[in-house]
Tab-separated table of all heavy atoms in Angstrom:
chain	number	residue	atom	x	y	z
A	1	MET	N	-2.965	-12.433	28.161
A	1	MET	CA	-3.589	-11.409	27.334
A	1	MET	C	-4.516	-10.573	28.192
A	1	MET	O	-5.260	-11.083	28.996
A	1	MET	CB	-4.329	-12.080	26.182
A	1	MET	CG	-5.433	-11.285	25.598
A	1	MET	SD	-5.273	-10.283	24.233
A	1	MET	CE	-4.290	-9.285	23.720
A	2	ASN	N	-4.440	-9.316	28.005
A	2	ASN	CA	-5.281	-8.382	28.714
A	2	ASN	C	-6.727	-8.524	28.219
A	2	ASN	O	-7.000	-8.387	27.030
A	2	ASN	CB	-4.744	-6.972	28.461
A	2	ASN	CG	-5.476	-5.917	29.227
A	2	ASN	OD1	-6.552	-6.141	29.776
A	2	ASN	ND2	-4.899	-4.748	29.265
A	3	THR	N	-7.638	-8.813	29.136
A	3	THR	CA	-9.031	-9.013	28.728
A	3	THR	C	-9.653	-7.733	28.178
A	3	THR	O	-10.528	-7.800	27.317
A	3	THR	CB	-9.881	-9.552	29.886
A	3	THR	OG1	-9.813	-8.643	30.979
A	3	THR	CG2	-9.421	-10.930	30.327
A	4	ALA	N	-9.197	-6.594	28.641
A	4	ALA	CA	-9.713	-5.329	28.113
A	4	ALA	C	-9.314	-5.166	26.647
A	4	ALA	O	-10.119	-4.716	25.819
A	4	ALA	CB	-9.205	-4.155	28.935
A	5	HIS	N	-8.091	-5.544	26.335
A	5	HIS	CA	-7.619	-5.458	24.952
A	5	HIS	C	-8.398	-6.423	24.060
A	5	HIS	O	-8.806	-6.065	22.958
A	5	HIS	CB	-6.122	-5.749	24.885
A	5	HIS	CG	-5.547	-5.641	23.512
A	5	HIS	ND1	-5.500	-4.455	22.818
A	5	HIS	CD2	-5.012	-6.571	22.695
A	5	HIS	CE1	-4.957	-4.662	21.630
A	5	HIS	NE2	-4.648	-5.942	21.530
A	6	LEU	N	-8.619	-7.636	24.547
A	6	LEU	CA	-9.379	-8.626	23.794
A	6	LEU	C	-10.819	-8.149	23.587
A	6	LEU	O	-11.370	-8.291	22.490
A	6	LEU	CB	-9.353	-9.976	24.506
A	6	LEU	CG	-9.991	-11.140	23.779
A	6	LEU	CD1	-9.369	-11.342	22.402
A	6	LEU	CD2	-9.864	-12.409	24.601
A	7	SER	N	-11.400	-7.564	24.598
A	7	SER	CA	-12.751	-7.026	24.477
A	7	SER	C	-12.806	-5.912	23.438
A	7	SER	O	-13.757	-5.814	22.658
A	7	SER	CB	-13.247	-6.497	25.824
A	7	SER	OG	-13.387	-7.549	26.738
A	8	SER	N	-11.777	-5.088	23.430
A	8	SER	CA	-11.694	-4.003	22.453
A	8	SER	C	-11.607	-4.552	21.033
A	8	SER	O	-12.280	-4.059	20.124
A	8	SER	CB	-10.489	-3.131	22.758
A	8	SER	OG	-10.298	-2.169	21.759
A	9	LEU	N	-10.780	-5.579	20.837
A	9	LEU	CA	-10.665	-6.196	19.519
A	9	LEU	C	-11.996	-6.805	19.081
A	9	LEU	O	-12.407	-6.659	17.924
A	9	LEU	CB	-9.577	-7.274	19.530
A	9	LEU	CG	-8.139	-6.801	19.672
A	9	LEU	CD1	-7.198	-8.003	19.793
A	9	LEU	CD2	-7.728	-5.918	18.511
A	10	ASN	N	-12.673	-7.469	19.996
A	10	ASN	CA	-13.973	-8.062	19.677
A	10	ASN	C	-15.006	-6.999	19.334
A	10	ASN	O	-15.818	-7.188	18.426
A	10	ASN	CB	-14.464	-8.940	20.823
A	10	ASN	CG	-13.783	-10.289	20.861
A	10	ASN	OD1	-13.545	-10.892	19.824
A	10	ASN	ND2	-13.464	-10.759	22.048
A	11	ALA	N	-14.979	-5.885	20.038
A	11	ALA	CA	-15.911	-4.798	19.759
A	11	ALA	C	-15.648	-4.200	18.370
A	11	ALA	O	-16.583	-3.920	17.616
A	11	ALA	CB	-15.806	-3.723	20.833
A	12	LYS	N	-14.369	-4.023	18.041
A	12	LYS	CA	-14.022	-3.503	16.716
A	12	LYS	C	-14.458	-4.476	15.630
A	12	LYS	O	-14.971	-4.065	14.588
A	12	LYS	CB	-12.516	-3.246	16.617
A	12	LYS	CG	-12.040	-2.064	17.421
A	12	LYS	CD	-10.536	-1.911	17.332
A	12	LYS	CE	-10.037	-0.800	18.233
A	12	LYS	NZ	-8.574	-0.664	18.172
A	13	HIS	N	-14.268	-5.758	15.874
A	13	HIS	CA	-14.673	-6.788	14.914
A	13	HIS	C	-16.187	-6.728	14.682
A	13	HIS	O	-16.650	-6.773	13.538
A	13	HIS	CB	-14.249	-8.163	15.432
A	13	HIS	CG	-14.478	-9.277	14.469
A	13	HIS	ND1	-15.644	-9.977	14.441
A	13	HIS	CD2	-13.678	-9.814	13.516
A	13	HIS	CE1	-15.569	-10.901	13.499
A	13	HIS	NE2	-14.384	-10.820	12.925
A	14	ALA	N	-16.947	-6.610	15.754
A	14	ALA	CA	-18.406	-6.533	15.644
A	14	ALA	C	-18.847	-5.275	14.903
A	14	ALA	O	-19.790	-5.310	14.104
A	14	ALA	CB	-19.029	-6.580	17.039
A	15	LYS	N	-18.155	-4.172	15.151
A	15	LYS	CA	-18.494	-2.919	14.482
A	15	LYS	C	-18.250	-3.027	12.974
A	15	LYS	O	-19.079	-2.583	12.165
A	15	LYS	CB	-17.674	-1.776	15.065
A	15	LYS	CG	-18.017	-0.419	14.518
A	15	LYS	CD	-17.202	0.671	15.196
A	15	LYS	CE	-17.529	2.022	14.602
A	15	LYS	NZ	-16.744	3.099	15.223
A	16	ILE	N	-17.141	-3.631	12.597
A	16	ILE	CA	-16.847	-3.810	11.176
A	16	ILE	C	-17.862	-4.759	10.546
A	16	ILE	O	-18.314	-4.536	9.424
A	16	ILE	CB	-15.399	-4.298	10.974
A	16	ILE	CG1	-14.435	-3.166	11.327
A	16	ILE	CG2	-15.175	-4.763	9.543
A	16	ILE	CD1	-12.978	-3.562	11.321
A	17	GLU	N	-18.238	-5.806	11.274
A	17	GLU	CA	-19.242	-6.743	10.769
A	17	GLU	C	-20.565	-6.015	10.500
A	17	GLU	O	-21.217	-6.242	9.473
A	17	GLU	CB	-19.461	-7.881	11.773
A	17	GLU	CG	-20.515	-8.870	11.372
A	17	GLU	CD	-20.164	-9.679	10.132
A	17	GLU	OE1	-18.975	-9.892	9.878
A	17	GLU	OE2	-21.093	-10.088	9.417
A	18	ALA	N	-20.939	-5.130	11.401
A	18	ALA	CA	-22.176	-4.361	11.222
A	18	ALA	C	-22.077	-3.438	10.007
A	18	ALA	O	-23.043	-3.307	9.237
A	18	ALA	CB	-22.473	-3.548	12.487
A	19	ARG	N	-20.923	-2.805	9.823
A	19	ARG	CA	-20.730	-1.935	8.654
A	19	ARG	C	-20.783	-2.738	7.363
A	19	ARG	O	-21.343	-2.283	6.354
A	19	ARG	CB	-19.396	-1.189	8.757
A	19	ARG	CG	-19.399	-0.096	9.825
A	19	ARG	CD	-18.078	0.625	9.891
A	19	ARG	NE	-17.810	1.358	8.655
A	19	ARG	CZ	-16.617	1.800	8.294
A	19	ARG	NH1	-15.572	1.582	9.068
A	19	ARG	NH2	-16.457	2.455	7.160
A	20	LEU	N	-20.201	-3.937	7.381
A	20	LEU	CA	-20.253	-4.805	6.213
A	20	LEU	C	-21.693	-5.173	5.867
A	20	LEU	O	-22.099	-5.104	4.700
A	20	LEU	CB	-19.471	-6.096	6.491
A	20	LEU	CG	-18.028	-6.143	6.077
A	20	LEU	CD1	-17.347	-7.362	6.665
A	20	LEU	CD2	-17.891	-6.134	4.586
A	21	THR	N	-22.440	-5.556	6.872
A	21	THR	CA	-23.841	-5.936	6.662
A	21	THR	C	-24.639	-4.768	6.105
A	21	THR	O	-25.407	-4.936	5.145
A	21	THR	CB	-24.465	-6.421	7.985
A	21	THR	OG1	-23.705	-7.543	8.455
A	21	THR	CG2	-25.910	-6.834	7.792
A	22	ASP	N	-24.450	-3.590	6.679
A	22	ASP	CA	-25.155	-2.403	6.194
A	22	ASP	C	-24.812	-2.104	4.734
A	22	ASP	O	-25.693	-1.816	3.931
A	22	ASP	CB	-24.821	-1.180	7.050
A	22	ASP	CG	-25.448	-1.234	8.431
A	22	ASP	OD1	-26.361	-2.062	8.644
A	22	ASP	OD2	-25.010	-0.457	9.296
A	23	GLU	N	-23.536	-2.184	4.411
A	23	GLU	CA	-23.105	-1.878	3.045
A	23	GLU	C	-23.645	-2.910	2.053
A	23	GLU	O	-24.075	-2.560	0.960
A	23	GLU	CB	-21.581	-1.812	2.977
A	23	GLU	CG	-21.039	-1.362	1.637
A	23	GLU	CD	-21.427	0.049	1.246
A	23	GLU	OE1	-21.637	0.905	2.127
A	23	GLU	OE2	-21.528	0.306	0.032
A	24	GLN	N	-23.650	-4.175	2.453
A	24	GLN	CA	-24.138	-5.226	1.563
A	24	GLN	C	-25.628	-5.120	1.302
A	24	GLN	O	-26.109	-5.556	0.261
A	24	GLN	CB	-23.804	-6.607	2.145
A	24	GLN	CG	-22.327	-6.914	2.096
A	24	GLN	CD	-21.947	-8.162	2.854
A	24	GLN	OE1	-22.642	-8.586	3.765
A	24	GLN	NE2	-20.820	-8.751	2.483
A	25	ARG	N	-26.361	-4.516	2.214
A	25	ARG	CA	-27.817	-4.376	2.065
A	25	ARG	C	-28.214	-3.182	1.198
A	25	ARG	O	-29.370	-3.059	0.819
A	25	ARG	CB	-28.470	-4.253	3.437
A	25	ARG	CG	-28.457	-5.542	4.200
A	25	ARG	CD	-29.181	-5.410	5.501
A	25	ARG	NE	-29.161	-6.687	6.207
A	25	ARG	CZ	-29.390	-6.811	7.488
A	25	ARG	NH1	-29.636	-5.744	8.231
A	25	ARG	NH2	-29.355	-8.001	8.053
A	26	ARG	N	-27.247	-2.314	0.921
A	26	ARG	CA	-27.547	-1.153	0.083
A	26	ARG	C	-27.896	-1.620	-1.325
A	26	ARG	O	-27.409	-2.654	-1.780
A	26	ARG	CB	-26.338	-0.220	0.018
A	26	ARG	CG	-26.089	0.523	1.316
A	26	ARG	CD	-24.958	1.498	1.211
A	26	ARG	NE	-25.054	2.264	-0.020
A	26	ARG	CZ	-24.038	2.858	-0.612
A	26	ARG	NH1	-22.840	2.774	-0.112
A	26	ARG	NH2	-24.206	3.538	-1.713
A	27	PRO	N	-28.700	-0.840	-2.042
A	27	PRO	CA	-29.050	-1.221	-3.421
A	27	PRO	C	-27.836	-1.356	-4.337
A	27	PRO	O	-27.803	-2.214	-5.200
A	27	PRO	CB	-29.951	-0.077	-3.892
A	27	PRO	CG	-30.457	0.551	-2.657
A	27	PRO	CD	-29.415	0.343	-1.598
A	28	ASN	N	-26.840	-0.505	-4.148
A	28	ASN	CA	-25.641	-0.553	-4.985
A	28	ASN	C	-24.412	-0.479	-4.072
A	28	ASN	O	-23.802	0.582	-3.925
A	28	ASN	CB	-25.656	0.617	-5.979
A	28	ASN	CG	-24.575	0.494	-7.021
A	28	ASN	OD1	-23.963	-0.554	-7.159
A	28	ASN	ND2	-24.312	1.577	-7.724
A	29	PRO	N	-24.014	-1.625	-3.466
A	29	PRO	CA	-22.903	-1.587	-2.513
A	29	PRO	C	-21.582	-1.200	-3.169
A	29	PRO	O	-21.336	-1.499	-4.329
A	29	PRO	CB	-22.840	-3.006	-1.970
A	29	PRO	CG	-23.681	-3.841	-2.841
A	29	PRO	CD	-24.567	-2.951	-3.640
A	30	ASP	N	-20.767	-0.522	-2.407
A	30	ASP	CA	-19.441	-0.082	-2.862
A	30	ASP	C	-18.469	-1.250	-2.701
A	30	ASP	O	-18.078	-1.609	-1.585
A	30	ASP	CB	-19.007	1.112	-2.022
A	30	ASP	CG	-17.671	1.690	-2.438
A	30	ASP	OD1	-16.924	1.018	-3.188
A	30	ASP	OD2	-17.376	2.816	-2.013
A	31	SER	N	-18.057	-1.854	-3.804
A	31	SER	CA	-17.204	-3.041	-3.747
A	31	SER	C	-15.829	-2.729	-3.162
A	31	SER	O	-15.236	-3.574	-2.477
A	31	SER	CB	-17.076	-3.682	-5.120
A	31	SER	OG	-16.525	-2.775	-6.042
A	32	ALA	N	-15.313	-1.553	-3.398
A	32	ALA	CA	-14.013	-1.180	-2.829
A	32	ALA	C	-14.103	-1.080	-1.302
A	32	ALA	O	-13.214	-1.562	-0.592
A	32	ALA	CB	-13.532	0.134	-3.417
A	33	LEU	N	-15.160	-0.463	-0.820
A	33	LEU	CA	-15.360	-0.352	0.630
A	33	LEU	C	-15.547	-1.737	1.244
A	33	LEU	O	-14.993	-2.032	2.309
A	33	LEU	CB	-16.556	0.540	0.953
A	33	LEU	CG	-16.904	0.691	2.433
A	33	LEU	CD1	-15.731	1.258	3.220
A	33	LEU	CD2	-18.146	1.552	2.598
A	34	LEU	N	-16.291	-2.597	0.573
A	34	LEU	CA	-16.491	-3.955	1.077
A	34	LEU	C	-15.152	-4.683	1.203
A	34	LEU	O	-14.903	-5.368	2.194
A	34	LEU	CB	-17.431	-4.746	0.166
A	34	LEU	CG	-18.907	-4.352	0.217
A	34	LEU	CD1	-19.691	-5.096	-0.847
A	34	LEU	CD2	-19.493	-4.597	1.592
A	35	ALA	N	-14.295	-4.536	0.214
A	35	ALA	CA	-12.986	-5.190	0.245
A	35	ALA	C	-12.149	-4.675	1.411
A	35	ALA	O	-11.500	-5.460	2.119
A	35	ALA	CB	-12.261	-4.974	-1.070
A	36	ILE	N	-12.164	-3.379	1.636
A	36	ILE	CA	-11.409	-2.777	2.738
A	36	ILE	C	-11.920	-3.291	4.077
A	36	ILE	O	-11.142	-3.686	4.946
A	36	ILE	CB	-11.487	-1.231	2.681
A	36	ILE	CG1	-10.706	-0.720	1.475
A	36	ILE	CG2	-10.983	-0.607	3.978
A	36	ILE	CD1	-10.957	0.742	1.156
A	37	LEU	N	-13.236	-3.297	4.235
A	37	LEU	CA	-13.831	-3.754	5.492
A	37	LEU	C	-13.536	-5.229	5.745
A	37	LEU	O	-13.234	-5.624	6.872
A	37	LEU	CB	-15.344	-3.505	5.491
A	37	LEU	CG	-15.776	-2.045	5.543
A	37	LEU	CD1	-17.280	-1.922	5.336
A	37	LEU	CD2	-15.360	-1.395	6.853
A	38	LYS	N	-13.593	-6.035	4.700
A	38	LYS	CA	-13.307	-7.465	4.854
A	38	LYS	C	-11.858	-7.693	5.265
A	38	LYS	O	-11.573	-8.550	6.109
A	38	LYS	CB	-13.626	-8.214	3.563
A	38	LYS	CG	-15.113	-8.363	3.332
A	38	LYS	CD	-15.402	-9.084	2.031
A	38	LYS	CE	-16.895	-9.188	1.794
A	38	LYS	NZ	-17.190	-9.923	0.544
A	39	LYS	N	-10.933	-6.920	4.726
A	39	LYS	CA	-9.525	-7.049	5.102
A	39	LYS	C	-9.316	-6.629	6.558
A	39	LYS	O	-8.579	-7.281	7.304
A	39	LYS	CB	-8.646	-6.212	4.181
A	39	LYS	CG	-8.493	-6.816	2.809
A	39	LYS	CD	-7.648	-5.941	1.911
A	39	LYS	CE	-7.620	-6.500	0.493
A	39	LYS	NZ	-6.876	-5.642	-0.429
A	40	GLN	N	-9.976	-5.545	6.959
A	40	GLN	CA	-9.864	-5.092	8.343
A	40	GLN	C	-10.420	-6.141	9.295
A	40	GLN	O	-9.825	-6.430	10.340
A	40	GLN	CB	-10.613	-3.768	8.537
A	40	GLN	CG	-9.965	-2.582	7.886
A	40	GLN	CD	-10.793	-1.314	8.011
A	40	GLN	OE1	-11.940	-1.338	8.474
A	40	GLN	NE2	-10.234	-0.202	7.576
A	41	LYS	N	-11.557	-6.707	8.914
A	41	LYS	CA	-12.189	-7.729	9.743
A	41	LYS	C	-11.279	-8.946	9.874
A	41	LYS	O	-11.124	-9.497	10.964
A	41	LYS	CB	-13.540	-8.118	9.133
A	41	LYS	CG	-14.309	-9.112	9.944
A	41	LYS	CD	-15.623	-9.452	9.260
A	41	LYS	CE	-16.230	-10.683	9.869
A	41	LYS	NZ	-17.344	-11.191	9.104
A	42	LEU	N	-10.663	-9.365	8.782
A	42	LEU	CA	-9.763	-10.513	8.811
A	42	LEU	C	-8.554	-10.242	9.702
A	42	LEU	O	-8.143	-11.101	10.486
A	42	LEU	CB	-9.315	-10.869	7.400
A	42	LEU	CG	-8.373	-12.058	7.281
A	42	LEU	CD1	-9.015	-13.320	7.851
A	42	LEU	CD2	-7.991	-12.267	5.827
A	43	ARG	N	-7.980	-9.050	9.602
A	43	ARG	CA	-6.832	-8.700	10.450
A	43	ARG	C	-7.199	-8.768	11.935
A	43	ARG	O	-6.426	-9.259	12.756
A	43	ARG	CB	-6.310	-7.313	10.099
A	43	ARG	CG	-5.442	-7.318	8.876
A	43	ARG	CD	-4.713	-5.987	8.690
A	43	ARG	NE	-4.721	-5.674	7.276
A	43	ARG	CZ	-5.415	-4.700	6.713
A	43	ARG	NH1	-6.123	-3.872	7.435
A	43	ARG	NH2	-5.375	-4.516	5.403
A	44	LEU	N	-8.395	-8.260	12.252
A	44	LEU	CA	-8.837	-8.307	13.647
A	44	LEU	C	-9.082	-9.745	14.093
A	44	LEU	O	-8.716	-10.122	15.211
A	44	LEU	CB	-10.118	-7.478	13.831
A	44	LEU	CG	-9.907	-5.978	13.893
A	44	LEU	CD1	-11.237	-5.250	13.819
A	44	LEU	CD2	-9.173	-5.590	15.163
A	45	LYS	N	-9.670	-10.540	13.225
A	45	LYS	CA	-9.922	-11.942	13.560
A	45	LYS	C	-8.603	-12.660	13.844
A	45	LYS	O	-8.500	-13.438	14.790
A	45	LYS	CB	-10.669	-12.623	12.423
A	45	LYS	CG	-11.039	-14.051	12.680
A	45	LYS	CD	-11.812	-14.637	11.521
A	45	LYS	CE	-12.122	-16.095	11.740
A	45	LYS	NZ	-12.839	-16.687	10.607
A	46	GLU	N	-7.589	-12.390	13.036
A	46	GLU	CA	-6.280	-12.999	13.233
A	46	GLU	C	-5.653	-12.522	14.547
A	46	GLU	O	-5.037	-13.299	15.273
A	46	GLU	CB	-5.363	-12.684	12.060
A	46	GLU	CG	-5.761	-13.403	10.787
A	46	GLU	CD	-4.997	-12.930	9.564
A	46	GLU	OE1	-4.300	-11.898	9.635
A	46	GLU	OE2	-5.102	-13.616	8.535
A	47	ALA	N	-5.809	-11.251	14.850
A	47	ALA	CA	-5.267	-10.702	16.098
A	47	ALA	C	-5.949	-11.332	17.302
A	47	ALA	O	-5.299	-11.631	18.312
A	47	ALA	CB	-5.429	-9.186	16.137
A	48	ILE	N	-7.240	-11.547	17.197
A	48	ILE	CA	-7.995	-12.174	18.293
A	48	ILE	C	-7.540	-13.625	18.454
A	48	ILE	O	-7.345	-14.096	19.583
A	48	ILE	CB	-9.512	-12.084	18.025
A	48	ILE	CG1	-9.984	-10.636	18.132
A	48	ILE	CG2	-10.286	-12.967	19.004
A	48	ILE	CD1	-11.376	-10.374	17.589
A	49	ALA	N	-7.359	-14.324	17.353
A	49	ALA	CA	-6.982	-15.742	17.406
A	49	ALA	C	-5.593	-15.950	17.989
A	49	ALA	O	-5.339	-16.979	18.620
A	49	ALA	CB	-7.060	-16.344	16.008
A	50	THR	N	-4.705	-14.991	17.807
A	50	THR	CA	-3.338	-15.159	18.303
A	50	THR	C	-3.209	-14.766	19.774
A	50	THR	O	-2.145	-14.946	20.354
A	50	THR	CB	-2.333	-14.328	17.474
A	50	THR	OG1	-2.672	-12.948	17.555
A	50	THR	CG2	-2.321	-14.794	16.038
A	51	ARG	N	-4.245	-14.253	20.334
A	51	ARG	CA	-4.190	-13.831	21.740
A	51	ARG	C	-4.584	-14.953	22.615
A	51	ARG	O	-5.234	-15.572	23.008
A	51	ARG	CB	-5.071	-12.609	22.008
A	51	ARG	CG	-4.708	-11.419	21.172
A	51	ARG	CD	-3.355	-10.894	21.512
A	51	ARG	NE	-3.032	-9.769	20.637
A	51	ARG	CZ	-1.835	-9.443	20.289
A	51	ARG	NH1	-0.820	-10.126	20.682
A	51	ARG	NH2	-1.609	-8.416	19.525
């Protein structure tokens, strides 16, 4: 596995995690956006695990 690709996946995962945290801290979080972000995060986690 290309370490640059793995680093990129990890960076994307961290960015989505930060967006999730920010959205959850809002007074009225957008549940649809949270669901989308969680699915994206899971896909990236799976991609990282298979590498």
Side-chain angles (χ1 to χ4, degrees):
M1 156 95 317
N2 184 346
T3 58
H5 182 65
L6 186 56
S7 294
S8 174
L9 291 175
N10 282 320
K12 289 177 185 179
H13 186 270
K15 184 177 178 181
I16 290 173
E17 178 66 29
R19 288 181 65 197
L20 267 169
T21 301
D22 288 345
E23 186 63 29
Q24 290 171 336
R25 288 184 179 161
R26 288 184 45 203
N28 190 13
D30 182 345
S31 59
L33 178 59
L34 288 173
I36 291 168
L37 291 172
K38 286 179 182 182
K39 286 178 186 177
Q40 289 176 352
K41 183 181 166 191
L42 180 59
R43 280 191 220 110
L44 282 170
K45 183 178 177 182
E46 290 171 349
I48 291 167
T50 60
R51 302 294 178 209

